[in-house]
Amino acid sequence: MARKYFGTDGIRGATNRKPMTAEMAMKVGMAAGAHFRRGDHKHRVVIGKDTRLSGYMLENAMTAGFTSVGMDVVLLGPMPTPAVAMLTTSMRADLGVMISASHNPFADNGIKLFGPDGYKLSDADELAIETLIDSETALAPSAEIGRARRVEDARGRYIHFAKSTFPDALRLDGMKIVVDCANGAAYQVAPSALWELGAEVIAIGVTPNGKNINDGVGSTAPEALCETVVASGAHIGIALDGDADRLIVADETGRVVDGDQLMAVIASGWARVGRLQGGGLVATVMSNLGLERHLAAQGLGMIRTQVGDRHVLEKMRGSGYNVGGEQSGHIILSDYATTGDGLVAALQVLAELARAGAPASEVLHRFDPLPQILKNVRFGGGAPLEDAAVQEAIAEVEAELYGRGRLLIRKSGTEPVIRVMAEGDDRAQVERVVDRVCDAVRVAAA
């Protein structure tokens, strides 16, 4: 059954436009609260948010919804998404909520829900909540309306947790680190955790005003990070996104290190000490073929999934892997967290750097990425991928790339666009085959 409100990562949209309105937020609170009221115990939900202006509106609306169906609300304030997942379990809550649109501009916002186990909700739970949103939810009797309180030490709890993932035998003394918090949820916790571990911290993207989240800073705009690293003579720079579940790194020369390289660093390090489970890692179809070849040379495997961290996590849980992620920097380390955690992933990278005693430019670039080209073809309707000429072009290109590259074609789930991606050893060949398939799609869509 198709979902009406939930997308691949919760409910998301432009604020004060459907579905991201205060009215919808209250309905989601009522529906999710009713769905997770199971048993006779006093029910509790924790709510975190990033630094968007609209977070105040949505937080208050969701609080009204949850308390109206008898759930107590614990307000965390600005906190990373992984912190909300962690605190949901540690506080024995029945439900966790993160109000964030991740790396999107400030005008967008979203609602992510976590179950009592700290994992994002299943499709079945989301469908059940959608049904309740569109129906009349039973309200609690007057004497059973929930209460709301704010927890003042939530940041300290998460900092302690994050630091606990860093090896006890190591410190960051003498390491100068630039940290870019995207003017988002980690603007306080990330610099504090790094400083407490001994680093000299230069923090940027730590002055949120409600409207500047992800604006020229953060993992999706690493230019500011790279410039600051070079100008300050830092050893390394780390950039998080608005809700701090993604990580991108810059070495001391200002060169960007993406999620594929970071997964290679972590997986290789964990394999060396016998910590890596599953004999490899889980990545998506977008991860570079160079990563797959690099791992294979070490006797490690790589399983690919559809794009989206929930698909990565599902495969990790089902197949016994403890490292997985996306090229974009959404890295999941299931020994520590139930979702991507940019700060925890950064600490694992910093641990490898501290052990190596070598510059980041030598430690973090583990393989040469193959040329990878992605182009989008917009279409007005129909099913161009089912056209005979398109299928013929795809078959011919796949045969041409066999053993030397790969072709990936997928229809966007959010807009009328066909995405055509190819990679291989020969850039000219990759460009030519991508254009060939795109041309065939355009003709079919005309």
Side-chain angles (χ1 to χ4, degrees), residues 86-356:
M86 183 271 291
L87 290 167
T88 298
T89 56
S90 70
M91 298 185 73
R92 307 298 194 272
D94 300 277
L95 188 64
V97 178
M98 179 63 183
I99 301 172
S100 174
S102 190
H103 56 281
N104 286 25
F106 91 93
D108 293 343
N109 217 327
I111 298 170
K112 304 179 184 182
L113 300 177
F114 296 92
D117 57 359
Y119 288 98
K120 292 178 181 178
L121 300 189
S122 66
D123 288 344
D125 280 327
E126 289 182 347
L127 285 170
I129 291 170
E130 285 195 346
T131 299
L132 290 170
I133 289 173
D134 290 332
S135 62
E136 193 73 25
T137 304
L139 301 179
S142 298
E144 297 178 17
I145 292 173
R147 300 173 183 268
R149 60 174 294 185
R150 193 168 295 277
V151 174
E152 300 299 336
D153 66 341
R155 290 196 298 271
R157 296 188 193 194
Y158 176 67
I159 290 171
H160 176 75
F161 157 75
K163 288 168 51 186
S164 73
T165 70
F166 191 75
D168 290 337
L170 297 177
R171 288 182 58 86
L172 297 177
D173 295 54
M175 192 177 295
K176 182 185 289 189
I177 302 172
V178 177
V179 56
D180 180 352
C181 299
N183 291 319
Y187 79 100
Q188 293 176 315
V189 295
S192 295
L194 294 170
W195 177 81
E196 290 184 20
L197 288 169
E200 178 183 347
V201 179
I202 301 172
I204 62 176
V206 290
T207 56
N209 62 16
K211 299 180 181 180
N212 61 357
I213 188 170
N214 301 315
D215 185 8
V217 286
S219 63
T220 53
E223 295 80 12
L225 175 75
C226 297
E227 292 172 2
T228 306
V229 167
V230 174
S232 64
H235 297 95
I236 191 173
I238 64 176
L240 308 173
D241 66 339
D243 68 334
D245 64 355
R246 294 189 187 193
L247 167 71
I248 292 294
V249 168
D251 67 22
E252 81 282 1
T253 71
R255 183 180 174 189
V256 171
V257 186
D258 68 10
D260 283 349
Q261 297 282 1
L262 299 177
M263 286 190 286
V265 170
I266 296 170
S268 298
W270 285 19
R272 185 179 64 249
V273 297
R275 284 192 58 191
L276 189 67
Q277 297 176 13
L281 58 80
V282 179
T284 76
V285 292
M286 294 304 297
S287 278
N288 196 275
L289 186 56
L291 171 60
E292 189 171 344
R293 292 178 177 178
H294 171 74
L295 294 171
Q298 301 176 67
L300 301 176
M302 188 175 98
I303 295 179
R304 293 183 185 269
T305 73
Q306 299 176 52
V307 173
D309 65 288
R310 74 186 291 161
H311 299 297
V312 172
L313 182 57
E314 180 181 345
K315 179 60 69 172
M316 290 175 65
R317 296 181 73 185
S319 301
Y321 289 76
N322 61 348
V323 176
E326 299 183 276
Q327 190 181 66
S328 62
H330 197 126
I331 299 173
I332 303 173
L333 305 174
S334 59
D335 285 2
Y336 303 123
T338 56
T339 187
D341 191 321
L343 178 57
V344 168
L347 291 176
Q348 303 312 302
V349 172
L350 291 171
E352 288 298 308
L353 197 62
R355 290 190 184 99

